[in-house]
């Protein structure tokens, strides 16, 4: 069964679904607004700096003014092999996970129509070039695994605290015999009703800690298909424009397991699936100016990408028991307070004393669907390049990204809710300056390259958030060029990234909210090949 449902807080890169982890829509919006280092192996070897450069397939999705430099048609592709190591600390226990992801990052063709050398000097406009490309903007693939012994709390505390009021997890836990309703008596005087973990169940302690295991499998990517045009005015001014069609697909599969060392409840599982698919468009404008033969000055503007998303979410809880008999109206004594008696509430359609043996129980949620629109931030790039005749060049870019300009709108949200979401985004994120620089040295047919990339902190310094970090990435590359073809190989060494995942959040200060803190180390090999025709 499918229903339309507003998830108050979306699942994000900082945790499970927000209903448990207190995340915000803004976190996921940021994830779809962030762009990894892009471009061919040649461009990535120079830190990703490309605003003032031309003649590369990357110009189609980057600064389209670079298309005006092409003198021949070109076909190019880029492959990427990553090496990722994730170490996760959870309840004083460390878990490691390694992967070697492969991806097809770029494919493009430029159809060049330059003026022939015989008449080029007689024309002001000397090229009309067109390009089409496929470019991977971001990669969401990430696996996190964690395990530990918790002597302070377990997720049953969360279920009980959030029961009632239509809460999804409270409802699933109730139907899975993990929580129940009870009447409380003090000295045989009724004091009220409460919802708590199923009795009799062992409460976590130093002697009986709960074993907690979890895994989070994130997958998907965002891809841009670009259609670009670039022209050349007297070999001094280069102009270009592109249309980008962006598709995004993201899925997160989470599995959470608790094992109890004693008592009738042996173990239980929580499994969730979250999927998000979207499509949008953006426009790019660019220019490159050559004041002389040695200097290029570049500018590129990328408008916000307007994307429509559809999300789906579902959850399932399964529990397993040993020698457990469920009795309506059963009485229990509080061991910490012998004068307090707890009596299981008898449902209206059942009788006190009725019993049933329970070996296992489970409950599934509906598939919840929601639609919303994302406006990503605008980007401005300024670049410069200096050429040492035919021996090589140095280049640098400065990029401004207005992350606080991220905006979400939805017909499902009330005006108050929509304003709250966007005010939270404005309060967490900020505008940043990113810097990229690199160079190329030419020795006959060989090209030797190196680069550096700095990404500013997108989160305000006063906000405690896992994305609150600056990053420094370094790259080295080698290329070989012939008249009709070229090949480039680059290695990029990424700064350590941090992630936080919260399996459940508790408001009670006496109970521990566990956090899985991960550090991700990554480097990649990028291979590009071009054919000129």
């Amino acid at each position: 069964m499918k229903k339309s449902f507003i998830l108050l807080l979306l699942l994000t890169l900082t945790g499970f679904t927000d209903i448990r982890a207190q995340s915000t829509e803004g976190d996921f919006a940021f994830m779809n607004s962030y762009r990894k280092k892009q471009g061919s192996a040649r461009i990535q070897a120079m830190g990703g700096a490309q605003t003032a450069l031309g003649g590369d397939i990357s110009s189609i999705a980057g600064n389209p003014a670079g298309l005006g430099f092409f003198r021949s048609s070109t076909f190019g592709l880029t492959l990427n092999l990553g090496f990722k190591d994730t170490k996760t600390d959870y309840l004083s226990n460390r878990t490691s996970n390694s992967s070697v992801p492969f991806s097809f990052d770029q494919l493009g063709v430029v159809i060049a129509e330059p003026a022939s050398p015989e008449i080029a000097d007689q024309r002001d406009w000397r090229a009309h070039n067109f390009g089409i490309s496929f470019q991977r903007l971001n990669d969401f693939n990430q696996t996190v695994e964690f395990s530990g012994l918790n002597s302070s709390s377990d997720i049953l505390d969360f279920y009980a605290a959030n029961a009632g009021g239509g809460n999804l997890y409270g409802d699933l836990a109730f139907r899975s015999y993990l929580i129940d309703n009870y009447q409380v008596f003090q000295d045989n005087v009724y004091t009220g009703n409460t919802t708590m973990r199923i009795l009799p169940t062992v409460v976590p302690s130093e002697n009986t800690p709960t074993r907690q295991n979890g895994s989070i499998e994130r997958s998907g990517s965002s891809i841009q298909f670009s259609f670009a045009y670039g022209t050349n005015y007297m070999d001094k001014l280069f102009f270009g424009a592109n249309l980008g069609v962006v598709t995004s697909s993201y899925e997160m599969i989470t599995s959470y397991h608790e094992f109890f060392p004693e008592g009738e409840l042996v173990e239980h599982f929580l499994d969730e699936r979250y999927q998000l698919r979207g499509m949008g468009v953006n426009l790019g404008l660019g220019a490159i100016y050559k004041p002389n033969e040695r200097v290029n000055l570049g500018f590129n503007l990328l408008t916000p990408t307007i994307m429509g998303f559809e999300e789906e979410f579902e959850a399932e809880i399964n529990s397993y028991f040993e020698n457990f008999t469920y009795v309506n109206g059963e009485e229990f004594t509080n061991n910490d307070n012998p004068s307090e008696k707890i009596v299981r509430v008898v449902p209206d359609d059942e009788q006190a004393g009725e019993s049933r043996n329970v070996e296992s129980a489970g409950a599934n949620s509906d598939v919840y669907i929601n639609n919303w629109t994302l406006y990503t931030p605008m980007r401005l790039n300024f670049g410069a390049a200096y050429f040492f005749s035919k021996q090589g060049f140095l280049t640098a870019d400065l990029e401004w990204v207005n992350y606080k300009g991220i905006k979400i709108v939805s017909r499902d949200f009330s005006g108050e809710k929509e304003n709250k979401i966007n005010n939270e985004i404005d309060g967490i994120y900020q505008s940043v300056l990113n810097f990229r620089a690199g160079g190329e040295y030419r020795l006959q047919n060989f090209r030797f390259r190196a680069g550096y990339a700095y990404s500013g902190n997108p989160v305000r310094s006063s906000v405690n958030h896992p994305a609150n970090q600056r990053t420094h990435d370094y790259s080295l590359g080698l290329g070989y060029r012939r008249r009709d073809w070229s090949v480039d190989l680059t290695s990029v060494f990424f700064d350590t990234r941090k992630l936080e995942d919260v399996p459940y959040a508790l408001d009670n200060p006496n109970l521990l909210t566990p956090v899985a803190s991960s550090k991700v180390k990554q480097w990649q090999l990028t291979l590009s090949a071009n054919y000129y025709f």
Side-chain angles (χ1 to χ4, degrees):
M1 176 182 179
K2 294 188 175 182
K3 302 168 117 171
S4 176
F5 181 74
I6 300 175
L7 292 177
L8 295 180
L9 299 170
L10 296 178
L11 127 102
T12 72
L13 45 78
T14 61
F16 284 0
T17 67
D18 49 41
I19 301 176
R20 290 187 289 117
Q22 311 298 310
S23 306
T24 68
E25 289 93 339
D27 291 316
F28 189 80
F30 168 76
M31 190 173 78
N32 267 278
S33 300
Y34 181 83
R35 295 189 170 199
K36 72 169 187 175
K37 305 297 182 293
Q38 302 165 33
S40 64
R42 172 176 178 253
I43 295 299
Q44 290 195 44
M46 296 180 289
Q50 60 173 308
T51 304
L53 300 178
D56 192 281
I57 288 291
S58 304
S59 298
I60 301 173
N63 185 355
L67 293 179
F69 286 81
F70 279 84
R71 301 300 185 211
S72 62
S73 298
T74 303
F75 171 81
L77 61 85
T78 298
L79 307 176
N80 182 73
L81 184 65
F83 301 86
K84 186 180 296 185
D85 180 64
T86 303
K87 288 183 169 56
T88 303
D89 292 318
Y90 184 78
L91 299 173
S92 302
N93 185 54
R94 172 165 291 186
T95 305
S96 297
N97 180 275
S98 298
S99 62
V100 185
F102 172 81
S103 60
F104 188 63
D105 279 9
Q106 187 185 69
L107 179 68
V109 61
V110 173
I111 304 300
E113 297 183 1
S116 63
E118 295 79 11
I119 63 173
D121 292 339
Q122 303 173 22
R123 292 186 175 183
D124 293 339
W125 297 97
R126 299 176 180 176
H128 298 280
N129 301 333
F130 300 86
I132 301 175
S133 74
F134 154 98
Q135 175 75 56
R136 190 177 301 273
L137 302 180
N138 213 337
D139 189 336
F140 303 137
N141 295 297
Q142 177 68 55
T143 299
V144 172
E145 297 175 335
F146 59 89
S147 176
L149 294 174
N150 194 332
S151 59
S152 173
S153 70
D154 55 38
I155 201 171
L156 272 64
D157 295 309
F158 170 83
Y159 293 152
N162 290 273
N167 181 273
L168 169 65
Y169 295 97
D171 176 65
L172 294 179
F174 187 86
R175 289 191 282 151
S176 301
Y177 287 85
L178 295 179
I179 61 175
D180 209 347
N181 296 322
Y182 297 90
Q183 294 177 327
V184 180
F185 295 84
Q186 183 69 38
D187 294 325
N188 295 320
V189 177
Y190 172 72
T191 60
N193 280 27
T194 186
T195 300
M196 54 190 296
R197 66 179 58 231
I198 197 80
L199 294 178
T201 302
V202 176
V203 176
S205 67
E206 292 293 336
N207 295 325
T208 58
T210 301
R211 165 68 68 178
Q212 298 177 334
N213 305 310
S215 66
I216 308 165
E217 295 280 349
R218 299 180 175 96
S219 62
S221 63
S222 58
I223 294 169
Q224 178 166 310
F225 297 89
S226 299
F227 307 86
Y229 166 78
T231 187
N232 170 352
Y233 181 76
M234 299 184 67
D235 292 329
K236 299 289 287 185
L237 280 171
F238 301 79
F239 299 99
N242 60 23
L243 169 69
V245 178
V246 180
T247 64
S248 181
S249 176
Y250 177 79
E251 184 174 60
M252 186 170 76
I253 305 295
T254 68
S255 179
Y256 179 75
H257 170 232
E258 288 187 343
F259 178 82
F260 299 85
E262 297 179 7
E264 287 80 357
L265 176 59
V266 178
E267 59 184 342
H268 69 88
F269 298 83
L270 169 63
D271 296 293
E272 300 165 291
R273 181 187 68 87
Y274 180 90
Q275 187 176 65
L276 185 117
R277 297 178 297 269
M279 178 177 288
V281 296
N282 59 51
L283 294 173
L285 299 172
I288 298 176
Y289 172 58
K290 290 181 67 68
N292 55 58
E293 287 301 315
R294 290 185 177 270
V295 176
N296 286 3
L297 301 175
F299 168 77
N300 173 228
L301 179 151
L302 180 65
T303 68
T305 303
I306 304 174
M307 300 192 70
F309 283 98
E310 179 182 88
E311 62 181 353
E312 292 185 5
F313 172 77
E314 59 182 329
E316 177 182 1
I317 292 180
N318 289 285
S319 53
Y320 299 89
F321 301 83
E322 188 175 73
N323 300 322
F324 176 48
T325 301
Y326 183 93
V327 181
N328 287 336
E330 186 174 5
E331 297 184 3
F332 303 91
T333 300
N334 187 343
N335 293 330
D336 296 327
N337 182 8
S339 62
E340 183 179 78
K341 184 173 61 175
I342 303 171
V343 180
R344 180 175 288 134
V345 174
V346 179
D348 293 337
D349 58 346
E350 297 185 20
Q351 299 293 322
E354 289 185 3
S355 65
R356 50 190 174 272
N357 294 324
V358 180
E359 296 182 354
S360 63
N364 300 315
S365 74
D366 294 317
V367 177
Y368 298 107
I369 298 177
N370 187 41
N371 293 277
W372 47 281
T373 301
L374 168 66
Y375 294 80
T376 70
M378 181 174 68
R379 296 169 179 267
L380 295 177
N381 286 276
F382 304 88
Y386 182 83
F387 292 82
F388 300 93
S389 185
K390 294 184 178 181
Q391 294 179 316
F393 60 87
L394 295 174
T395 184
D397 284 3
L398 187 65
E399 180 185 46
W400 176 79
V401 187
N402 182 26
Y403 285 117
K404 65 182 295 184
I406 296 172
K407 185 178 180 181
I408 288 178
V409 296
S410 174
R411 289 175 297 178
D412 295 327
F413 296 154
S414 65
E416 180 181 357
K417 174 63 178 177
E418 189 172 293
N419 290 335
K420 180 181 179 182
I421 295 170
N422 291 308
N423 287 339
E424 288 176 351
I425 292 173
D426 186 70
I428 294 174
Y429 298 102
Q430 62 182 354
S431 301
V432 301
L433 288 176
N434 300 324
F435 176 74
R436 299 182 286 268
E440 177 181 278
Y441 174 69
R442 300 172 180 175
L443 181 62
Q444 296 180 355
N445 296 101
F446 290 94
R447 308 289 188 264
F448 302 91
R449 308 182 182 102
Y452 164 77
Y454 165 81
S455 297
N457 188 351
V459 177
R460 297 177 186 271
S461 58
S462 59
V463 178
N464 182 19
H465 193 283
N468 194 333
Q469 55 185 317
R470 300 175 177 85
T471 60
H472 306 264
D473 303 327
Y474 304 88
S475 53
L476 293 172
L478 174 67
Y480 185 79
R481 173 72 186 261
R482 301 290 290 182
R483 180 178 179 179
D484 297 330
W485 60 272
S486 66
V487 62
D488 301 290
L489 180 66
T490 293
S491 181
V492 182
F493 306 89
F494 295 97
D495 208 348
T496 300
R497 266 65 170 177
K498 298 178 181 178
L499 296 172
E500 286 188 357
D501 293 283
V502 182
Y504 57 91
L506 299 171
D507 294 329
N508 188 338
N510 297 319
L511 297 177
L512 173 69
T513 292
V515 178
S517 300
S518 302
K519 292 184 178 180
V520 183
K521 294 183 178 181
Q522 182 179 3
W523 69 283
Q524 69 181 33
L525 287 175
T526 303
L527 177 68
S528 293
N530 296 283
Y531 173 68
Y532 310 103
F533 59 96

